[in-house]
Amino acid sequence: MQARPTICTIFHHERTEMSSPANRKDPKALAERLQTGDRRALAQAITLIESARPDDRLRASELLQRLDTSRSVAMRIGLSGTPGVGKSTFIEAFGMRLIDAGRRVAVLAVDPSSTLSGGSILGDKTRMDQLARSQHAYIRPSPSEGTLGGVARRTRETIRLVEAAGFDTIIVETVGVGQSETAVAEMTDIFLLLLAPAGGDELQGVKRGIMEIADLIVINKADGALKPVAEMTRTEYAGALRLMRRRPDDPDGIPTALTVSSLTGDGLPELWDRMAELFDWRERNGWIGQTRSAQAATAFDRALEQGVLRAVRENAAFVQDLQALRAQVATGKIDPEVAAGRVVRQVFGTPREDA
Ligand code: GDP
């Protein structure tokens, strides 16, 4: 029996592919190869983006700068759902349909647990057999190093790379924990919340904040004995959504709730129709452009915050001071705000009164 490829063998494969060409890190050559749709260049570019080495970061910045942004016409889809709800089954079924319809699908993941465990389950290619084999799909697991902010940054940059390589549909998957949904919503155009059928009037403990960022609520597993339960769950959510704040970026003012079965494929065409309709409406009404501009501005703010903080923390002149101040804050000798203010003044000088 042939062994199924594991995530390790896939990575190993990509690593050996990378070691041959001399220009695998040259931003200009990489950008050119990437924009011809060269998959090997895409893997190399993503590896460069994910590297923490300072020289690689510089190359990665230059690479991103060289990409033709007019190619960014992809639909960016966020997908969230707790483990077991059927995310990988859904992506496999939905993604294959999109490919049959002529689209090219990239699947990326933001897995906050991977930063602790060092390995990502989400986006594991073995979970999506058919897609993993398709020439029209590209699957990349979550970067597994760094904070959620770092993982989000790399994923945002990876979106630009897969777009440049010609993928027109990008699915960014995440699990329903922590802040990862917000991070994914901040890099996508349409956010889907995938839920399982559940009886009773409890809304499955779904946090209000997540309902507020969802553009579509999708109840999966609407098949067999679960079908009526799924329909009931859908009705409950549709009711709850009607009570929420109206959304100017939705033609109906509230997100739609619908049922699908990732196993039988029922409901998937209707879901796609709804997504395409929503995307077109948003594009026509300027929402896509406006959202992406706001997302870029937020990304800039985050990068600036992180960059300044890193520069201060890594600057030998301040390290001692910081440690001493931190200890004083911890023992209550100095107020945290006052201590931080002192550092800021030390680094940037006293702000002008009229500033
Ligand atoms: P994930 O953890 O969210 O990625 O969930 P998986 O895709 O691994 O699915 C978890 C389980 O639910 C698996 O046993 C799937 O076969 C099952 N499942 C997924 N989608 C459906 C569906 O539409 N109908 C039914 N009946 N089972 C499903």
Side-chain angles (χ1 to χ4, degrees):
M1 199 180 85
Q2 204 188 350
R4 273 158 64 98
T6 64
I7 205 73
C8 300
T9 55
I10 289 162
F11 273 151
H12 179 70
H13 182 57
E14 283 183 358
R15 250 202 306 269
T16 35
E17 270 184 347
M18 272 177 30
S19 49
S20 43
N23 60 358
R24 68 182 195 272
K25 282 189 174 184
D26 174 50
K28 186 164 181 280
L30 255 186
E32 279 164 12
R33 288 168 51 223
L34 183 67
Q35 293 181 118
T36 63
D38 179 341
R39 292 177 77 92
R40 194 182 288 190
L42 178 56
Q44 290 162 356
I46 296 177
T47 306
L48 188 62
I49 291 286
E50 291 182 354
S51 168
R53 285 176 41 173
D55 54 341
D56 284 347
R57 289 299 310 145
L58 284 177
R59 288 194 195 97
S61 299
E62 190 188 333
L63 168 64
L64 291 169
Q65 207 55 43
R66 285 182 173 277
L67 299 179
D68 175 5
T69 47
S70 64
R71 291 165 68 99
S72 302
V73 287
M75 188 194 284
R76 303 171 184 170
I77 304 161
L79 175 74
S80 168
T82 47
V85 72
K87 289 182 299 302
S88 48
T89 314
F90 170 81
I91 295 173
E92 170 101 329
F94 194 61
M96 287 312 292
R97 269 169 192 271
L98 295 181
I99 285 172
D100 287 344
R103 298 188 73 99
R104 300 189 68 216
V105 180
V107 182
L108 313 178
V110 171
D111 180 359
S113 65
S114 71
T115 64
L116 296 175
S117 67
S120 169
I121 305 294
L122 292 183
D124 179 342
K125 300 184 195 191
T126 58
R127 292 161 74 230
M128 304 165 203
D129 267 351
Q130 277 183 293
L131 269 186
R133 282 196 302 265
S134 170
Q135 273 307 304
H136 305 290
Y138 190 84
I139 303 177
R140 184 79 182 182
S142 177
S144 58
E145 272 172 39
T147 57
L148 175 60
V151 169
R153 173 184 60 72
R154 293 186 195 110
T155 309
R156 201 178 304 110
E157 291 172 352
T158 304
I159 289 179
R160 304 219 8 236
L161 299 180
V162 291
E163 281 179 355
F167 289 90
D168 57 17
T169 315
I170 300 159
I171 301 176
V172 187
E173 176 191 17
T174 193
V175 280
V177 294
Q179 294 297 306
S180 63
E181 279 98 353
T182 313
V184 170
E186 281 178 2
M187 60 178 90
T188 50
D189 306 312
I190 292 185
F191 193 86
L192 308 191
L193 176 61
L194 202 62
L195 296 168
D201 51 10
E202 284 249 339
L203 293 182
Q204 295 180 43
V206 174
K207 283 168 262 147
R208 201 185 159 83
I210 298 174
M211 295 267 290
E212 276 171 355
I213 57 175
D215 295 305
L216 286 161
I217 304 257
V218 183
I219 320 294
N220 189 33
K221 308 194 185 185
D223 49 53
L226 288 172
K227 197 169 175 165
V229 191
E231 187 46 45
M232 203 168 71
T233 310
R234 191 198 70 76
T235 312
E236 280 169 9
Y237 275 93
L241 288 168
R242 269 195 291 276
L243 300 178
M244 288 174 53
R245 190 169 51 86
R246 292 192 68 80
R247 299 260 299 257
D249 59 349
D250 191 297
D252 300 331
I254 50 166
T256 311
L258 23 77
T259 57
V260 301
S261 166
S262 302
L263 279 192
T264 66
D266 282 353
L268 294 180
E270 290 81 2
L271 172 62
W272 173 248
D273 287 349
R274 176 67 194 142
M275 287 167 67
E277 194 189 332
L278 183 61
F279 188 81
D280 286 349
W281 183 88
R282 284 187 173 172
E283 209 164 32
R284 275 200 314 277
N285 290 280
W287 285 104
I288 299 289
Q290 199 173 314
T291 307
R292 288 187 180 185
S293 298
Q295 288 173 340
T298 306
F300 169 71
D301 288 347
R302 300 249 157 94
L304 190 59
E305 279 163 23
Q306 284 167 11
V308 170
L309 202 57
R310 200 179 322 115
V312 173
R313 285 196 175 134
E314 287 173 0
N315 189 321
F318 301 119
V319 171
Q320 292 284 328
D321 271 16
L322 288 184
Q323 279 168 353
L325 272 173
R326 241 170 160 259
Q328 288 176 17
V329 167
T331 54
K333 285 206 183 81
I334 180 166
D335 177 79
E337 293 285 334
V338 174
R342 197 180 286 176
V343 176
V344 171
R345 278 194 300 281
Q346 198 184 339
V347 176
F348 296 105
T350 312
R352 293 204 331 258
E353 283 300 316
D354 60 348

